[in-house]
Amino acid sequence: MDKLFDPKYFNDELAIEGFGSQELTKFLDAMILIRKAEEKLAENIENGVIKCPCHLGVGQEAIAVGVSSVLRNSDKVFGAHRSHSHFLALNSDLDGLFSEVLGKESGSSKGMGGSMHLIDRSVGFEGSVPIVSATIPIATGAALAAKLNKKGEVAVAYFGDGATEEGAFHESLNLASTHKLPVLYICENNLFSSHLHISLRQPSQRIARFAESHLIESATLDGNNVTEISKHCQKAVDKIRNTNRPYFLELITYRWKGHVGYREDMDVGVKRKEDLLVWRNRDPIRRLELALINSKTLTQDSINDIHASIDFRIKESWKRAIDGVFPEKNNLLDLVYSKK
Amino acid sequence: MDKLFDPKYFNDELAIEGFGSQELTKFLDAMILIRKAEEKLAENIENGVIKCPCHLGVGQEAIAVGVSSVLRNSDKVFGAHRSHSHFLALNSDLDGLFSEVLGKESGSSKGMGGSMHLIDRSVGFEGSVPIVSATIPIATGAALAAKLNKKGEVAVAYFGDGATEEGAFHESLNLASTHKLPVLYICENNLFSSHLHISLRQPSQRIARFAESHLIESATLDGNNVTEISKHCQKAVDKIRNTNRPYFLELITYRWKGHVGYREDMDVGVKRKEDLLVWRNRDPIRRLELALINSKTLTQDSINDIHASIDFRIKESWKRAIDGVFPEKNNLLDLVYSKK
Amino acid sequence: MKREISYAEGILEAFNYLLTNHQNVFVIGQGLWSPWYVGASMKDLDVKYGKERVIDSPVSELAVTGAAVGASICGYRPVVVHPRMDFMVLAIDQIVNQAAKWRHMFGGKSIAPVTIRGIINRGGEQGAQHSQALHSWFAHVPGLRVVMPATADDARDLLVASVLSDDPVMFIDDRWCYEHKSQVVDIEPVRLDSVEPRVLKEGNDVTILGIGYSSLLCLEASTNLEKDGISAEVIDLRILNPIKVKNILKSVEKTKRFVVVDGGWTNCGMAGELIARVMENISISDLSASPKRVTLTDAPAPTSSNLEEDYYTKSVDIEQVVKTMF
Amino acid sequence: MKREISYAEGILEAFNYLLTNHQNVFVIGQGLWSPWYVGASMKDLDVKYGKERVIDSPVSELAVTGAAVGASICGYRPVVVHPRMDFMVLAIDQIVNQAAKWRHMFGGKSIAPVTIRGIINRGGEQGAQHSQALHSWFAHVPGLRVVMPATADDARDLLVASVLSDDPVMFIDDRWCYEHKSQVVDIEPVRLDSVEPRVLKEGNDVTILGIGYSSLLCLEASTNLEKDGISAEVIDLRILNPIKVKNILKSVEKTKRFVVVDGGWTNCGMAGELIARVMENISISDLSASPKRVTLTDAPAPTSSNLEEDYYTKSVDIEQVVKTMF
Ligand SMILES: Cc1ncc(C[n+]2csc(CCOP(=O)(O)OP(=O)(O)O)c2C)c(N)n1
Ligand SMILES: Cc1ncc(C[n+]2csc(CCOP(=O)(O)OP(=O)(O)O)c2C)c(N)n1
Ligand SMILES: [Mg+2]
Ligand SMILES: [Mg+2]
């Protein structure tokens, strides 16, 4: 357990038994897409094209990809402020993301939300919002709806370690545990909330202890291991669907960029260059690539092709986003109330 | 542990070793005073003289008496909606309570607060308020003040099992644990929040599990055993003063009256006559009286004298309260802002 | 066929109607399995519709409200019940940051049609933390529809309309209205956005606008004013946000005098808002006196009965203010 | 000796003054050990005064605010910093139910002199949940003093006055003011309850009242209006609760025209309140035009720069409204 928090460990190639090459390639593809999409955003934050605050999740790609691999479109997924990966892992919709970040009409929220308000209901991504912890009760309510409608839906809430310091988190866990609601809580424990390390905010680094206190089954895993996450989530989600009980998954990870914006070694004023160097060895993408090459599932060349093709998609999508139009002025007032 | 929640157990005389007869008599006196004061209130709620909502704690007297027995006047104590006992255990001020409940000028809050807003700063009772959980962060802040002023003060927060469902409770425990604040959390777990039994509100009856999740030292004890509470609190408070660390004490008890008002076997519409019958056997007063008689510390006669003298004090105090005057009309506006 | 019902019965009829006719309606909140604190307004709902659809909750205002918001996003029409507005403030993030903005910030792709029943429960020596009337706060927030009925028929029909509205609605319910009686016919759902301020009584000399329970006080005052030869037109605002003023302007243009009565505090309250609305929309020469407002005493609620007497507005206070305008 | 400082420097000077001269002052909130989001306004405080008195906190708005309230009850003078008002709504119970009522409900036997610094941080495509200006809400609450400076000298002097006041104070700070510069002399603490609305610029034809950053817009507008031959008197409200109107009434009686500009939403907002205050206190014949208000667009904040352009008030919007009154 302690090793999970120590970046010296878990740096080797992933175990890939039980996964087919197609599935593994999909994981790799999805993670690279997310990584490169966020790097594109970083580049355009730095050069000033993007004005909207962006919280990048570079380094944390395995989580969304692993979790999404076991979900259905009818499940209800909610994100937070750092949710590009949650969105892209479900729909690979670069255009929707890029345009949204630029405030364009063609964005996933029609340019009304920006980076911090993404939505794609067609794949069950029901929305992300930046008020820390706010979607935890909302996802819990989606689980209540799922329990009432008896269609076997699962609700998913993504949130960070910082969010567990908000009362809403604890209230929600109690509600889900008491009323037996089918919700999967995913805590991306990247050890930081903005500039503050978890040791300055909580008496223990292990968040799953809260699930235990609410009698919710839980596990703490390597958040940079997409195959393990996928395998474990499959079991968890099956259990949730069968029992209507919540499940809590804590995933230990690390973000490579600052809290907000494009910088690498600065976190809203806090330097952490040395730490970052070590944590980079736990790169979820490199670890999967290693496994794929060593197991001869893919060659370095085919991996290079994947990179190249994603680079191309990103370039094209970014161009479309830049060329897109802004929302009509009347949206400002017309969207406040429903017409019904 | 489970036996604590089962009213069949813990019905015998108390262990009194280590306590002097004077101290034991003080415990008894204080508990009887609280019991009879609340019965006086019940009588006057029933006959319509009291209009202000009163939450009576009959049956839970041992807790406040045990806890208060180890506190100093410089400690900072905060209560909630059911706090007559917390107030009286510190100051025996019947006049202040009775007048306050009647909204009289001579009340502890000058008639501005009623039953749910009691205060007596001379003994460190810093205030009680009925917003469930609200004084938990406030007491935590009093502990922060104590840590800063380095005078060895301890902050105390009394609250119920229901209050632990509020986010403020969890946020506070994390704050106290992380910042090492000298606060004693006292959870009076009477198994009910208004009409709802804890099993309908939480997945476990044992509240101390939350202290564990926040890495706060804790214990769960019989809440109807004044000697054990006093002894344990002495240790806890010493530890808090020495280490500046929080401590959490869960005390299992049962209230005999309804959630609000004078009724015995009805709880805001919920009948629980049978349960109450069994729980009455755990009467904290009778158990101490038994011990005192069996150990020949007091005779039945001297106990009867205590009862009689308290009856008299209550009668006199109630009369004074009834005869008291109402607050001046100008208080309404004059108390809104300070003059400085 | 007309029948007379009380406000509390109106609420109960609305719940029965909604739970019977709309499978996606459910109710959640504290006390629902023993709803003693809301009089008869929720009697036996859990027995009739089951504890799965009438859900009592832990003491967790924020998560419970958020759960209702979440369920509303997923196709349900939940009603969250907060026995007191004072407790509901713990849930403001979900009401104001989430529900009220959900549609707008997602470009209209999702809605959060939750109804929040916030109850004003004051008087009775309950004091500062159990007596607040914070309706003006919610009226301040774009995206939230705010409803505050005064009469039994409105209580019923506007609750139905609130739950059927595609927007989040703050339905504010004043315990002091619960005994008020009015005539009703069978429920015919109306669209919430079609509801305008309602003229409760016609008159010629002064327009008295009430909000919630205050409207009943205005009616009372108008009856007494008649004896003094003053014919007051009484209007009940009903919808606090988004606000509609056409009826009010028409009335003020006729009477040339305007008084607003609100049971909330003065500063940034509903009463001042209505004075401002009227002033920006009529020409000054249409008025024969400065507009006035009657509001709650600007202090926390006291407990002492002696002070409660002064604290809350009585119809005679309204009468006095009106008389100064002639 | 006079010096010129910026608003952000004014805040920093106030903190330095308070932490140096008052041992019972401490600061708590999110980000205090890395206060990048408040510009230079809190630079190095933790280094200078120690992490025991400048406390960074977990993401727990409610408990942290409550802890400050508790410490204030026990003799301290804490300043709680909320980087955004949007987050602060999670702490409303402690601000509104507890601190604002503490003195009154305990008969004056205890006070809660906490200062809450709620920051308005909008624009920059931050969107609906990171841009709110909810000052009107807090102004609604008796027991809470609400301060909203526009200028650098006020930022400094009113923050000092807030912390030294025996009442709980909501000190509202608009990021858009941070670069504003003004002349100051050395700090001479003033009593918060003696502070009145301030005439920033004298004029004869119209009174334009601003609130916080809006006051700076009003100044800008007044300069342009001069070119059109309109002499505007600009007043900065400064204290939103309890409100004082003497200076404003005097000005309106002189100019006979009144416009209020506020960066908050319309309904039950500060702008409407001031129209009501003026209307109830002057005689209608004193006005030569209906009073007007300029407020924020009644919608959640958009993110798209295209819409932000329309969403926020510009000085030209004020000019246009003023011109319609002549
Ligand atoms: C209620 C609230 N408080 C504070 C913030 C400011 N804030 C934005 S993100 C963040 C850090 C949250 O940390 P965590 O939940 O661990 O997520 P991470 O950023 O690490 O992904 C904070 C404090 C906010 N958006 N909402
Ligand atoms: C924030 C808030 N929510 C709800 C209530 C209504 N209420 C008053 S007391 C109470 C029960 C609290 O139960 P518990 O904390 O166990 O205390 P007990 O009444 O058992 O002493 C409730 C729900 C309230 N006063 N405040
Ligand atoms: Mg984190
Ligand atoms: Mg209890």
Side-chain angles (χ1 to χ4, degrees):
Chain A
M1 167 62 63
D2 282 353
K3 290 186 184 167
L4 280 176
F5 296 93
D6 185 341
K8 283 203 305 291
Y9 301 93
F10 298 103
N11 295 330
D12 301 334
E13 62 180 283
L14 301 184
I16 55 173
E17 300 85 73
F19 290 90
S21 71
Q22 211 185 343
E23 201 169 1
L24 292 166
T25 311
K26 250 175 86 180
F27 288 164
L28 184 66
D29 208 87
M31 288 198 291
I32 295 173
L33 183 84
I34 295 167
R35 170 81 50 96
K36 287 179 182 281
E38 294 214 293
E39 277 166 353
K40 187 76 186 172
L41 295 177
E43 172 193 326
N44 284 281
I45 298 164
E46 186 165 9
N47 68 24
V49 173
I50 295 174
K51 295 272 183 307
C52 171
C54 287
H55 301 82
L56 303 179
V58 176
Q60 305 185 189
E61 298 85 354
I63 295 174
V65 172
V67 171
S68 302
S69 70
V70 308
L71 298 179
R72 305 174 183 162
N73 286 345
S74 54
D75 293 331
K76 309 293 181 200
V77 184
F78 294 86
H81 58 287
R82 196 180 307 285
S83 279
H84 301 159
S85 64
H86 310 147
F87 177 86
L88 289 178
L90 283 167
N91 65 8
S92 308
D93 181 11
L94 289 169
D95 287 23
L97 174 65
F98 287 168
S99 308
E100 191 55 44
V101 167
L102 291 168
K104 299 296 179 75
E105 168 84 82
S106 49
S108 86
S109 300
K110 296 199 171 163
M112 298 302 289
S115 160
M116 304 193 286
H117 298 286
L118 304 171
I119 192 167
D120 182 354
R121 307 194 79 186
S122 72
V123 294
F125 194 67
E126 288 292 332
S128 60
V129 306
I131 294 289
V132 167
S133 83
T135 44
I136 306 177
I138 292 177
T140 306
L144 176 57
K147 183 186 172 188
L148 290 170
N149 75 24
K150 298 193 174 61
K151 294 183 190 158
E153 299 163 6
V154 166
V156 180
Y158 286 107
F159 51 88
D161 47 304
T164 67
E165 291 149 21
E166 292 282 6
F169 164 74
H170 294 274
E171 294 185 8
S172 299
L173 263 59
N174 180 52
L175 196 63
S177 183
T178 303
H179 283 272
K180 303 201 175 66
L181 305 180
V183 52
L184 175 61
Y185 295 111
I186 301 284
C187 180
E188 302 192 45
N189 184 353
N190 62 10
L191 307 179
F192 277 87
S193 164
S194 166
H195 59 297
L196 274 196
H197 188 266
I198 191 166
S199 60
L200 298 170
R201 298 178 285 113
Q202 297 192 23
S204 155
Q205 313 200 70
R206 202 180 59 88
I207 301 291
R209 67 192 193 278
F210 296 128
E212 290 154 13
S213 75
H214 291 287
L215 278 74
I216 293 178
E217 195 178 338
S218 68
T220 301
L221 303 179
D222 174 7
N224 290 11
N225 183 332
V226 68
T227 51
E228 189 186 24
I229 295 169
S230 173
K231 208 187 294 177
H232 198 98
C233 276
Q234 188 62 63
K235 272 190 276 182
V237 163
D238 289 346
K239 211 175 240 178
I240 295 170
R241 290 196 214 280
N242 290 333
T243 63
N244 257 359
R245 275 179 199 271
Y247 192 95
F248 189 100
L249 196 56
E250 175 185 17
L251 296 162
I252 309 304
T253 186
Y254 202 80
R255 69 170 150 69
W256 294 6
K257 303 274 183 195
H259 167 61
V260 60
Y262 66 90
R263 288 195 175 78
E264 276 234 321
D265 67 330
M266 289 276 288
D267 196 14
V268 288
V270 179
K271 291 202 177 65
R272 40 167 214 166
K273 201 167 191 161
E274 271 91 74
D275 283 350
L276 183 56
L277 271 179
V278 205
W279 275 99
R280 273 172 166 286
N281 295 328
R282 214 183 261 184
D283 183 355
I285 295 181
R286 191 63 210 146
R287 281 164 72 199
L288 177 57
E289 287 180 349
L290 273 178
L292 292 176
I293 292 173
N294 291 347
S295 65
K296 308 211 156 55
T297 313
L298 290 181
T299 62
Q300 183 64 53
D301 275 359
S302 52
I303 288 177
N304 292 347
D305 286 351
I306 294 177
H307 280 264
S309 113
I310 290 175
D311 282 337
F312 180 78
R313 281 168 68 192
I314 283 175
K315 211 177 89 192
E316 294 294 301
S317 175
W318 184 252
K319 220 169 103 209
R320 284 191 296 275
I322 289 282
D323 293 344
V325 298
F326 284 114
E328 303 277 349
K329 295 279 192 186
N330 62 356
N331 279 317
L332 196 50
L333 286 171
D334 285 357
L335 287 169
V336 181
Y337 295 101
S338 298
K339 299 290 154 278
K340 215 192 97 210
Chain B
M1 167 63 61
D2 282 355
K3 289 184 183 166
L4 281 176
F5 297 93
D6 185 341
K8 283 205 304 291
Y9 301 92
F10 298 102
N11 296 331
D12 301 334
E13 61 180 286
L14 302 185
I16 54 171
E17 299 85 75
F19 290 89
S21 72
Q22 212 185 343
E23 200 169 4
L24 292 167
T25 310
K26 251 175 86 179
F27 289 165
L28 184 65
D29 207 87
M31 289 198 290
I32 295 173
L33 183 85
I34 295 167
R35 171 80 51 94
K36 287 180 183 279
E38 295 215 292
E39 276 167 353
K40 187 73 184 175
L41 295 177
E43 173 194 324
N44 284 282
I45 299 165
E46 185 165 10
N47 68 25
V49 173
I50 295 173
K51 296 270 184 307
C52 171
C54 287
H55 302 81
L56 304 180
V58 176
Q60 305 185 190
E61 298 86 354
I63 295 173
V65 171
V67 172
S68 303
S69 70
V70 308
L71 298 179
R72 305 176 183 161
N73 286 345
S74 54
D75 293 331
K76 309 295 181 198
V77 185
F78 294 86
H81 56 287
R82 197 180 307 284
S83 279
H84 300 159
S85 63
H86 310 147
F87 177 85
L88 288 178
L90 282 169
N91 65 8
S92 307
D93 181 11
L94 290 168
D95 286 24
L97 174 65
F98 287 168
S99 306
E100 191 56 46
V101 167
L102 290 168
K104 298 295 178 76
E105 168 84 83
S106 49
S108 85
S109 300
K110 295 199 172 164
M112 297 302 290
S115 159
M116 305 193 286
H117 299 287
L118 304 173
I119 191 167
D120 182 354
R121 306 193 80 186
S122 71
V123 294
F125 194 68
E126 288 291 332
S128 61
V129 306
I131 295 289
V132 167
S133 83
T135 44
I136 306 178
I138 292 176
T140 306
L144 176 55
K147 183 186 172 188
L148 290 170
N149 74 25
K150 299 194 173 60
K151 294 184 190 157
E153 299 164 7
V154 165
V156 180
Y158 286 106
F159 51 89
D161 48 304
T164 69
E165 292 150 20
E166 293 282 6
F169 163 74
H170 294 274
E171 295 185 8
S172 300
L173 263 59
N174 180 52
L175 196 63
S177 183
T178 302
H179 284 270
K180 303 201 175 62
L181 305 180
V183 50
L184 175 61
Y185 294 112
I186 302 286
C187 180
E188 303 192 46
N189 184 352
N190 61 11
L191 307 179
F192 277 87
S193 165
S194 164
H195 59 297
L196 273 196
H197 189 264
I198 191 166
S199 59
L200 298 170
R201 299 178 283 114
Q202 298 192 23
S204 157
Q205 312 199 72
R206 202 181 59 90
I207 300 292
R209 68 192 193 278
F210 295 128
E212 290 154 14
S213 75
H214 292 287
L215 277 74
I216 293 178
E217 195 178 338
S218 69
T220 301
L221 303 179
D222 173 8
N224 290 12
N225 182 334
V226 69
T227 50
E228 189 185 25
I229 294 170
S230 173
K231 208 186 297 178
H232 197 98
C233 276
Q234 188 61 63
K235 272 189 277 182
V237 163
D238 288 345
K239 211 175 238 176
I240 295 170
R241 290 197 214 279
N242 290 333
T243 62
N244 257 359
R245 275 178 199 273
Y247 193 96
F248 189 100
L249 196 56
E250 175 183 18
L251 297 163
I252 309 303
T253 185
Y254 202 81
R255 70 169 149 69
W256 294 6
K257 303 275 182 193
H259 166 62
V260 60
Y262 67 89
R263 286 195 177 78
E264 275 235 322
D265 66 330
M266 288 276 287
D267 197 15
V268 288
V270 179
K271 290 202 179 66
R272 39 166 215 165
K273 200 168 190 160
E274 271 92 73
D275 283 348
L276 182 55
L277 269 178
V278 206
W279 275 99
R280 273 172 166 284
N281 295 328
R282 215 184 260 183
D283 183 354
I285 295 180
R286 191 64 210 143
R287 282 165 71 200
L288 177 58
E289 288 179 349
L290 274 178
L292 293 176
I293 291 171
N294 292 347
S295 65
K296 305 210 158 57
T297 313
L298 291 180
T299 62
Q300 183 65 53
D301 275 359
S302 52
I303 290 178
N304 292 349
D305 286 350
I306 294 177
H307 281 262
S309 114
I310 290 176
D311 282 338
F312 180 77
R313 283 168 66 191
I314 284 175
K315 212 177 87 194
E316 294 295 300
S317 175
W318 183 253
K319 221 169 101 210
R320 283 191 295 274
I322 290 282
D323 291 345
V325 298
F326 285 114
E328 302 279 347
K329 295 279 192 187
N330 63 353
N331 279 317
L332 195 50
L333 287 171
D334 285 356
L335 287 169
V336 181
Y337 296 101
S338 298
K339 297 292 154 277
K340 214 192 99 213
Chain C
M1 241 234 351
K2 290 230 172 193
R3 308 172 278 127
E4 194 178 73
I5 61 170
S6 71
Y7 184 107
E9 287 161 353
I11 298 278
L12 185 62
E13 285 193 14
F15 275 119
N16 275 305
Y17 175 88
L18 289 162
L19 286 160
T20 302
N21 294 289
H22 296 274
Q23 279 309 304
N24 60 355
V25 170
F26 69 87
V27 197
I28 188 168
Q30 279 170 52
L32 297 201
W33 294 343
S34 175
W36 55 283
Y37 60 87
V38 285
S41 79
M42 304 197 73
K43 203 170 147 35
D44 284 343
L45 293 179
D46 57 331
V47 179
K48 267 168 128 166
Y49 304 98
K51 288 190 183 336
E52 282 243 316
R53 289 180 72 203
V54 179
I55 309 170
D56 208 325
S57 87
V59 199
S60 312
E61 286 79 7
L62 182 54
V64 167
T65 306
V69 172
S72 81
I73 290 166
C74 296
Y76 279 81
R77 293 294 167 124
V79 184
V80 198
V81 181
H82 290 286
R84 281 196 166 80
M85 281 210 148
D86 314 68
F87 312 159
M88 188 173 69
V89 303
L90 286 160
I92 280 191
D93 172 55
Q94 286 294 331
I95 302 169
V96 168
N97 285 339
Q98 312 307 327
K101 297 172 173 54
W102 202 263
R103 182 175 200 276
H104 196 265
M105 70 194 175
F106 290 116
K109 290 195 173 168
S110 183
I111 56 173
V114 61
T115 298
I116 298 139
R117 181 184 179 201
I119 299 173
I120 300 173
N121 187 351
R122 51 187 161 170
E125 306 190 16
Q126 297 182 94
Q129 300 186 329
H130 275 54
S131 309
Q132 284 172 98
L134 295 169
H135 44 284
S136 304
W137 272 12
F138 298 96
H140 188 55
V141 180
L144 205 56
R145 293 189 185 273
V146 181
V147 178
M148 201 165 162
T151 62
D153 52 334
D154 269 353
R156 187 191 73 175
D157 297 341
L158 297 184
L159 180 53
V160 171
S162 297
V163 176
L164 300 184
S165 159
D166 277 354
D167 294 309
V169 180
M170 173 65 64
F171 182 91
I172 300 171
D173 214 12
D174 192 323
R175 274 285 257 146
W176 281 351
C177 295
Y178 280 26
E179 311 305 319
H180 175 268
K181 296 212 154 116
S182 49
Q183 299 281 326
V184 293
V185 292
D186 288 348
I187 293 178
E188 246 337 314
V190 295
R191 285 176 53 121
L192 192 55
D193 64 2
S194 72
V195 179
E196 309 249 351
R198 178 186 190 179
V199 178
L200 292 180
K201 181 178 174 184
E202 295 192 12
N204 295 311
D205 303 333
V206 57
T207 300
I208 315 185
L209 178 73
I211 297 154
Y213 173 73
S214 300
S215 298
L216 304 182
L217 286 180
C218 294
L219 278 178
E220 215 175 291
S222 76
T223 309
N224 292 329
L225 286 166
E226 262 171 40
K227 297 173 200 150
D228 292 297
I230 297 173
S231 155
E233 180 141 304
V234 176
I235 305 184
D236 176 17
L237 183 64
R238 306 207 284 179
I239 309 291
L240 282 62
N241 193 48
I243 217 169
K244 290 187 182 173
V245 283
K246 205 183 61 200
N247 293 353
I248 301 168
L249 297 177
K250 221 173 78 190
S251 173
V252 177
E253 275 158 10
K254 174 176 71 176
T255 63
K256 302 198 179 307
R257 290 183 186 84
F258 183 50
V259 178
V260 199
V261 185
D262 181 30
W265 290 308
T266 312
N267 198 0
C268 293
M270 215 59 238
E273 175 61 31
L274 283 149
I275 290 181
R277 293 268 163 169
V278 165
M279 290 316 303
E280 353 171 79
N281 285 295
I282 63 171
S283 68
I284 288 187
S285 55
D286 278 343
L287 284 184
S288 23
S290 292
K292 300 265 174 227
R293 56 181 159 174
V294 180
T295 54
L296 186 61
T297 308
D298 287 309
T303 42
S304 183
S305 57
N306 180 53
L307 300 182
E308 276 193 330
E309 222 177 278
D310 278 22
Y311 185 68
Y312 294 108
T313 300
K314 299 192 209 58
S315 58
V316 59
D317 303 323
I318 305 170
E319 293 159 33
Q320 270 165 15
V321 167
V322 168
K323 285 183 198 162
T324 64
M325 302 174 81
F326 288 88
Chain D
M1 241 226 4
K2 289 228 170 195
R3 306 173 279 129
E4 193 179 73
I5 61 169
S6 72
Y7 184 106
E9 287 162 352
I11 298 278
L12 185 62
E13 285 193 15
F15 274 120
N16 275 306
Y17 175 88
L18 289 162
L19 286 160
T20 302
N21 294 289
H22 295 274
Q23 280 309 307
N24 60 353
V25 170
F26 70 86
V27 196
I28 187 168
Q30 278 170 52
L32 296 202
W33 295 342
S34 174
W36 56 282
Y37 59 86
V38 284
S41 79
M42 304 197 74
K43 202 168 146 37
D44 283 343
L45 294 180
D46 56 332
V47 179
K48 267 169 127 167
Y49 304 98
K51 289 191 185 328
E52 281 242 316
R53 290 180 73 203
V54 179
I55 309 169
D56 208 327
S57 86
V59 200
S60 311
E61 286 78 8
L62 182 53
V64 167
T65 306
V69 172
S72 81
I73 290 166
C74 296
Y76 279 81
R77 291 294 167 123
V79 185
V80 198
V81 181
H82 290 286
R84 282 196 166 80
M85 282 210 147
D86 315 67
F87 311 160
M88 188 174 67
V89 303
L90 286 160
I92 281 191
D93 172 54
Q94 286 294 332
I95 302 169
V96 168
N97 285 339
Q98 312 306 329
K101 297 172 174 55
W102 202 262
R103 182 175 200 276
H104 196 265
M105 70 194 176
F106 290 116
K109 291 195 173 170
S110 183
I111 56 172
V114 62
T115 298
I116 298 139
R117 181 184 178 199
I119 299 174
I120 301 173
N121 187 349
R122 50 188 162 171
E125 306 190 17
Q126 297 182 94
Q129 299 185 330
H130 275 53
S131 309
Q132 285 172 97
L134 295 168
H135 45 282
S136 305
W137 270 14
F138 298 96
H140 188 54
V141 180
L144 204 58
R145 293 189 185 273
V146 182
V147 178
M148 203 165 160
T151 62
D153 52 335
D154 270 352
R156 187 191 72 174
D157 297 340
L158 298 184
L159 180 53
V160 171
S162 296
V163 175
L164 299 184
S165 160
D166 276 355
D167 294 308
V169 180
M170 173 67 64
F171 182 90
I172 299 171
D173 214 11
D174 192 322
R175 275 286 256 147
W176 282 350
C177 295
Y178 279 26
E179 311 306 319
H180 176 269
K181 295 213 154 113
S182 48
Q183 299 282 326
V184 293
V185 291
D186 287 347
I187 293 178
E188 248 335 314
V190 295
R191 285 176 54 119
L192 192 57
D193 64 2
S194 72
V195 178
E196 309 250 352
R198 177 186 192 179
V199 178
L200 292 181
K201 181 177 176 185
E202 294 194 13
N204 295 310
D205 304 333
V206 58
T207 300
I208 315 184
L209 178 74
I211 297 155
Y213 173 73
S214 300
S215 298
L216 304 182
L217 287 179
C218 293
L219 277 179
E220 214 177 291
S222 74
T223 309
N224 292 329
L225 287 167
E226 263 169 41
K227 297 173 198 148
D228 292 297
I230 296 174
S231 156
E233 180 142 305
V234 176
I235 304 183
D236 176 17
L237 184 64
R238 308 206 285 178
I239 309 291
L240 283 63
N241 194 48
I243 218 169
K244 290 186 183 173
V245 283
K246 204 183 61 199
N247 294 351
I248 302 167
L249 297 178
K250 220 173 79 187
S251 173
V252 176
E253 275 158 11
K254 174 176 72 176
T255 65
K256 302 198 178 307
R257 289 182 185 83
F258 184 51
V259 178
V260 198
V261 185
D262 182 30
W265 289 309
T266 312
N267 199 0
C268 294
M270 214 61 236
E273 174 61 31
L274 283 150
I275 290 181
R277 291 268 165 169
V278 165
M279 292 314 302
E280 356 173 77
N281 284 296
I282 62 170
S283 68
I284 287 187
S285 55
D286 279 342
L287 284 183
S288 26
S290 291
K292 300 266 174 225
R293 57 180 158 175
V294 181
T295 54
L296 186 62
T297 308
D298 287 309
T303 43
S304 183
S305 56
N306 181 52
L307 301 182
E308 276 193 330
E309 223 175 275
D310 279 23
Y311 185 67
Y312 294 109
T313 300
K314 299 193 209 55
S315 57
V316 58
D317 302 323
I318 305 170
E319 294 160 32
Q320 272 165 16
V321 168
V322 169
K323 286 183 196 160
T324 64
M325 301 173 83
F326 288 88

